[in-house]
Amino acid sequence: MRTWQYLVAGVILMLMASPVLAQEARTTVVADAVTHQPVAHASLYTKTNGRFHAAISNTQGVARISFQYQRLTVSHLNYASRQFRAALPDTIFLEPKFQMMAEVVVTNKEPEWIKRKLKQAIKLKDQYYFSTDTMHTCFYQTQSLSQNSIYRFQLSGQLRMKSDKRKHYELLPTTADITAADSTRLTDTANLRRMLYEDFMAELDNGFIRSHRFYPNGSYQRQREGEVQLRFRGKHFEDDHGWLVIDTVSCRVLSAWRATGTKVNRQERIDGVMYALARGLGYRIDTWNRDYRVRYAERPDGTLYPAEVNYKLYYGGHDSSTDSKQEEFQKQTGGGFPNMEATLRLEPGSHAALPDSTTWHVLPRSWYIRFNTEADRQKEIELSNLPATFTIYENEP
């Protein structure tokens, strides 16, 4: 069997546009209601006469609507959704769920104390974040969108972290619900795994400190003594910025947000040799934008866990290869979508709440391009076929 037959992309490529219905196409701009900045990768969708249609705003916030609708939903993970029954305005303003800070020019001056505190936070992170086995009640939901399909998945259950050398997670679902525009009945834990294994503190290391410039946000309203918000921007990539809130007394990071674009994601999240091999086989990544926001909560013993996580991924590419084994694998796992967003909420649980005989699902680490063994494939198929109830998507009320 040829080696390239085992090459599996972690997310599906952008789908071709759905047929245009009998209506003149028009454009609208999706923008932040506070800053008036364009909102990229917002979802505009409807289901009319049994068919689902959608559009996605580009990096300038522009969306092209080429389909009829009775009710159009406009949504984005970081904003409150809106619905329209009449003609769309030239600009659609969305109210932000979070405080969106305006861009600030970063100077070369960086207070010396910042990197000392961050390096201390790195030394202490295993003690504060990954020191012991933990169990939590989890509430996970994800929504994925293409131009002709929508998928929603909600799951509640128990999630535990095993603090062995691999620091892996295990899942015990209690309820799972799928809402889709067609008869797709597969469960999707891919974004759950990305939120867990791509956790901000898990990825904060000395390399991250060296490759970013940090500066305090003087307008931040702190919640406790010694709390500071540090804004950062990548030194080598312009599509890499965010902020973190740190307790400068205990050197614990309390919350963080990071937005990254195509260049930095290709650099950090896939092996260069693997990507070169994939390109030789006809696979190409064109757009890869990632938005990750986390708030950590404190347990009675002083350790922290990711209580709330918001994750958005926009992924566009091209695949010209013809691999029948890969195509069959995509059918068995449900594939993916170009525009995805997910949330995760955790609450402390009890080890005594479940019997030792309970069967847990091991959650593999997130990945995008790699070689897979048959065991890897079977694990992905298992996680794509968890028991769940299914509902055909209807227009939202």
Side-chain angles (χ1 to χ4, degrees):
M1 182 176 295
R2 289 175 292 180
T3 302
W4 63 267
Q5 288 181 310
Y6 290 100
L7 187 65
V8 178
V11 289
I12 252 324
L13 307 179
M14 184 166 295
L15 304 179
M16 299 300 291
S18 57
V20 176
L21 298 181
Q23 174 174 303
E24 182 180 354
R26 64 157 301 174
T27 59
T28 185
V29 177
V30 185
D32 187 299
V34 177
T35 66
H36 288 197
Q37 294 297 309
V39 175
H41 314 314
S43 303
L44 300 87
Y45 56 91
T46 188
K47 186 177 182 182
T48 303
N49 298 326
R51 297 187 64 184
F52 179 85
H53 300 279
I56 301 170
S57 64
N58 63 18
T59 54
Q60 287 76 45
V62 177
R64 183 174 183 271
I65 308 300
S66 57
F67 49 83
Q68 296 175 332
Y69 64 86
Q70 295 178 339
R71 181 183 299 148
L72 183 74
T73 299
V74 183
S75 70
H76 187 285
L77 178 68
N78 296 330
Y79 296 86
S81 299
R82 293 188 63 184
Q83 291 189 339
F84 295 86
R85 292 179 179 271
L88 293 178
D90 292 333
T91 303
I92 298 172
F93 290 105
L94 299 182
E95 292 290 338
K97 296 178 182 177
F98 313 100
Q99 181 181 359
M100 308 298 286
M101 296 178 296
E103 288 295 312
V104 176
V105 177
V106 182
T107 66
N108 290 325
K109 296 181 180 180
E110 181 181 86
E112 295 182 1
W113 63 266
I114 290 180
K115 289 189 175 178
R116 290 200 305 269
K117 292 293 183 180
L118 291 176
K119 289 180 179 180
Q120 184 65 15
I122 292 171
K123 291 180 181 179
L124 296 173
K125 71 177 185 178
D126 282 345
Q127 171 185 333
Y128 282 134
Y129 299 87
F130 314 108
S131 58
T132 58
D133 292 357
T134 58
M135 186 162 71
H136 297 87
T137 300
C138 74
F139 304 92
Y140 163 69
Q141 61 180 3
T142 185
Q143 173 173 296
S144 303
L145 190 79
S146 70
Q147 291 178 328
N148 58 12
S149 186
I150 189 172
Y151 170 91
R152 290 182 181 138
F153 178 51
Q154 298 185 58
L155 178 146
S156 63
Q158 299 297 314
L159 180 76
R160 68 184 182 187
M161 188 193 79
K162 305 296 289 183
S163 59
D164 54 14
K165 293 182 179 179
R166 296 182 59 203
K167 293 185 175 67
H168 70 278
Y169 291 87
E170 297 177 349
L171 175 69
L172 179 65
T174 53
T175 64
D177 300 280
I178 297 171
T179 302
D182 53 33
S183 58
T184 301
R185 295 179 180 271
L186 299 179
T187 51
D188 186 358
T189 62
N191 287 330
L192 171 62
R193 290 148 55 190
R194 293 179 183 123
M195 286 190 285
L196 293 171
Y197 290 112
E198 296 176 16
D199 173 73
F200 183 84
M201 282 308 298
E203 297 189 337
L204 180 64
D205 57 17
N206 288 317
F208 183 91
I209 293 178
R210 288 192 299 269
S211 61
H212 291 81
R213 186 173 292 114
F214 302 84
Y215 55 102
N217 177 15
S219 62
Y220 174 73
Q221 297 180 352
R222 63 186 182 184
Q223 304 299 313
R224 68 178 81 183
E225 189 69 26
E227 186 176 293
V228 176
Q229 185 183 72
L230 301 177
R231 302 183 66 173
F232 59 81
R233 180 169 289 280
K235 295 180 180 178
H236 310 297
F237 299 100
E238 61 182 13
D239 56 352
D240 182 4
H241 62 280
W243 53 257
L244 63 92
V245 175
I246 185 171
D247 181 338
T248 57
V249 177
S250 63
C251 292
R252 298 181 304 171
V253 173
L254 306 177
S255 59
W257 168 68
R258 187 186 183 197
T260 51
T262 306
K263 292 180 180 178
V264 66
N265 288 326
R266 281 199 297 221
Q267 169 91 5
E268 292 186 357
R269 307 205 174 276
I270 54 176
D271 179 82
V273 175
M274 183 67 71
Y275 184 52
L277 175 60
R279 284 180 62 88
L281 297 172
Y283 179 76
R284 184 181 73 243
I285 298 173
D286 298 320
T287 306
W288 187 353
N289 295 328
R290 175 182 176 273
D291 187 302
Y292 188 99
R293 186 185 303 266
V294 59
R295 179 184 67 83
Y296 298 101
E298 186 175 352
R299 303 185 187 92
D301 62 1
T303 60
L304 301 170
Y305 65 94
E308 295 181 29
V309 185
N310 295 272
Y311 177 82
K312 185 169 180 63
L313 177 70
Y314 183 84
Y315 192 96
H318 175 74
D319 188 2
S320 61
S321 65
T322 55
D323 183 349
S324 59
K325 191 175 183 68
Q326 168 66 9
E327 291 175 358
E328 179 60 27
F329 177 73
Q330 294 291 356
K331 291 180 181 179
Q332 292 174 311
T333 58
F337 295 77
N339 193 38
M340 296 178 278
E341 52 191 42
T343 59
L344 174 65
R345 181 164 57 89
L346 299 181
E347 298 176 354
S350 170
H351 287 268
L354 299 169
D356 294 336
S357 59
T358 302
T359 301
W360 293 75
H361 296 276
V362 176
L363 297 178
R365 291 180 176 271
S366 53
W367 51 272
Y368 296 92
I369 300 176
R370 73 170 187 181
F371 291 113
N372 285 281
T373 65
E374 188 60 32
D376 292 331
R377 289 172 177 261
Q378 291 304 315
K379 186 61 183 177
E380 295 292 339
I381 293 172
E382 172 193 328
L383 291 173
S384 299
N385 289 273
L386 300 175
T389 60
F390 180 79
T391 303
I392 293 289
Y393 167 83
E394 298 292 346
N395 283 334
E396 298 183 3

